[in-house]
Amino acid sequence: HPYPVSSVLLTFDTWHTTRAQVMTIHTSLLFKFCSRVAQGQPLVVAGDFNFMPGSPCYNLVTTGDMDEADPCYPPADPTGKWSPKLLAPFRSAYLEGSAGSKAEPNFTNYAQVRDEPEFIETLDYIFLS
């Protein structure tokens, strides 16, 4: 690797399914992979995650763990070697820069498809290690 780890930029193009347990697995794998590649260096993970503030995947990222009783928790790994638990929680840059409100933005996505109702929600984040 010819560059110091601190100068590496990784980009991913991934699609999150709407199946809750699969979203949990994808979210966990992405954040675990990024943490391993960063090797303890500061890390920024940003993108359209297709989960809303307070959702199980959002809570997994921001707390590092998830209640096994949650319906979004994936089935147990029969080998017992994997769980969605992260190495460490991530912080939301929006929360840290929200000038005292300590809230995610009101929305990052504003969409309407033909005759469907408007969709106005926060789905995009900048997470910090």
Side-chain angles (χ1 to χ4, degrees):
H1 191 299
Y3 303 104
V5 171
S6 61
S7 67
V8 173
L9 171 65
L10 298 172
T11 61
F12 301 92
D13 183 10
T14 185
W15 177 77
H16 280 291
T17 177
T18 56
R19 292 179 52 207
Q21 292 176 332
V22 175
M23 278 188 75
T24 299
I25 293 167
H26 288 182
T27 299
S28 175
L29 290 173
L30 173 66
F31 281 86
K32 286 179 178 184
F33 175 79
C34 291
S35 294
R36 274 196 325 272
V37 169
Q39 299 176 354
Q41 295 294 316
L43 175 63
V44 176
V45 181
D48 177 353
F49 291 92
N50 285 340
F51 52 69
M52 294 181 275
S55 69
C57 284
Y58 177 89
N59 293 339
L60 171 63
V61 173
T62 58
T63 68
D65 206 356
M66 176 182 249
D67 183 353
E68 290 184 37
D70 191 298
C72 295
Y73 198 91
D77 174 10
T79 68
K81 295 180 182 178
W82 187 86
S83 82
K85 184 174 183 168
L86 303 181
L87 301 173
F90 283 72
R91 303 177 332 271
S92 167
Y94 292 140
L95 284 178
E96 294 205 356
S98 63
S101 70
K102 295 296 179 196
E104 296 291 356
N106 291 332
F107 65 93
T108 62
N109 186 292
Y110 188 115
Q112 184 173 20
V113 178
R114 297 186 189 210
D115 297 327
E116 297 290 320
E118 293 177 332
F119 179 83
I120 305 170
E121 195 53 76
T122 300
L123 301 176
D124 309 296
Y125 304 91
I126 302 168
F127 290 113
L128 313 169
S129 62

